[in-house]
Amino acid sequence: MTTVAFAGAGPLTAVHGLAAQALGLRVSHVAAGTAEQAAERASQLRARPCTYEDLPAGADLVIVTAPPAMRASEVLRSVRAGTAVLVEPPLAATLAGADAIVDAAARAAAPVLYGESLLHAPVVRTALDRVRMIGPIDRIEVRAQHTPGDRRVGAEPGVETGALAEVGTRALAVALAVAEPAEPVAVQARLEYAGPGQTDDWAEVTLRFAGGAVATVVASRREPEPAAVWDLQVSSPTGVVRAELAPTPSLEHDGEPVPVVATPAAGDVPQLEQFGYLQQLRTAAAAAGRAHDLRGPILGRKVLEVLCGAYAAAADSGSWHPLPFAGPRDRPPLAGWATP
């Protein structure tokens, strides 16, 4: 049986814990910032509390959900021990941290996986297959529009992030995956704020890719109740693929419905399959103990490059900024990410 340990005890550990239970995996240890936090989450998951220094504590897989400023160090700790790692977005607080993870993953005996669950969601996986059928794409549009109270699962208490860094991170990963193998070469961004001194609650990011494709990503935390909107549209001169993940998963190719084949849901929480958490953990558990390609960490670093460029572009009156990001690699896109 694959054993799983958690580096972090925030809300996202509960989601991964439910996924582990549904798949019959054993959660062995939970580390957190305080002994009380570790003990509380460990008791819920029938695991043992421990410190970060104790990890990987003999586990086959460590899932890193600690605050962004700690993620690079926690990934490197498990890599040095030869243990597989799944790290939640963002990959790190800074590009220097992301560089260290990518470099370590290239030499690691076990895989380092980037935990973008949406890329494992059945509707997104099927949409990506359909996108490959419509020829060279020219437009990508992704919307991740949430209500003010609908903070992204796993957002750390006390680590303040805006709509772009919080919900936009996952939407950007989907846009980049759709565009592959084309690389982003420039970014432009506009941010709007709920009030003075507050983080952004609405963001629009435009990406230019080598080859001419353009992607627009809208991320919001100010949509009216009752439901969030999450959708994807991709077009080429010969076809259009449109997918919705929320409020109800659906997929169309040139206006015709496309069936989405999913692995039968395990457990009592269908959203774990709908949002890709079960398939992501299946993949991570199957990969534990063997080397893995670098696509995951490199994608995570690419998302962080876009975030850095987007915040710089927004501060520069929405001008275009080249990618990869040419600015300082030791500064987080948001100051809150630097707070452990």
Side-chain angles (χ1 to χ4, degrees), residues 37-64:
Q37 291 170 327
E40 179 180 6
R41 184 66 74 197
S43 68
Q44 296 167 351
L45 299 175
R46 299 180 181 178
R48 295 179 60 184
C50 67
T51 67
Y52 286 113
E53 290 75 16
D54 293 328
L55 295 176
D60 301 306
L61 171 69
V62 173
I63 301 179
V64 177

Side-chain angles (χ1 to χ4, degrees), residues 129-260:
D129 289 341
R130 287 284 169 158
V131 166
R132 309 308 175 211
M133 298 169 59
I134 65 173
I137 59 178
D138 49 24
R139 288 289 306 177
I140 303 166
E141 298 176 11
V142 187
R143 294 189 301 169
Q145 298 175 243
H146 294 246
T147 62
D150 185 21
R151 299 202 64 185
R152 178 176 64 79
V153 171
E156 292 287 341
V159 181
E160 188 61 29
T161 58
L164 177 56
E166 190 173 294
V167 298
T169 301
R170 296 184 180 272
L172 286 169
V174 172
L176 292 168
V178 168
E180 288 180 342
E183 294 287 337
V185 295
V187 61
Q188 184 184 58
R190 291 191 300 119
L191 304 179
E192 295 181 5
Y193 299 83
Q198 299 188 32
T199 56
D200 54 282
D201 66 350
W202 182 92
E204 181 179 271
V205 176
T206 305
L207 290 169
R208 288 177 179 165
F209 289 88
V214 175
T216 300
V217 172
V218 175
S220 172
R221 278 201 330 219
R222 67 182 188 194
E223 302 307 307
E225 299 287 354
V229 173
W230 194 105
D231 58 23
L232 162 71
Q233 183 163 297
V234 186
S235 64
S236 77
T238 59
V240 177
V241 174
R242 189 177 190 283
E244 286 192 5
L245 189 64
T248 303
S250 64
L251 180 64
E252 295 179 353
H253 183 172
D254 291 340
E256 295 295 325
V258 176
V260 175

Side-chain angles (χ1 to χ4, degrees), residues 6-31:
F6 287 111
L12 199 52
T13 60
V15 177
H16 284 297
L18 288 172
Q21 292 171 359
L23 296 178
L25 308 179
R26 183 172 69 88
V27 179
S28 62
H29 292 81
V30 177

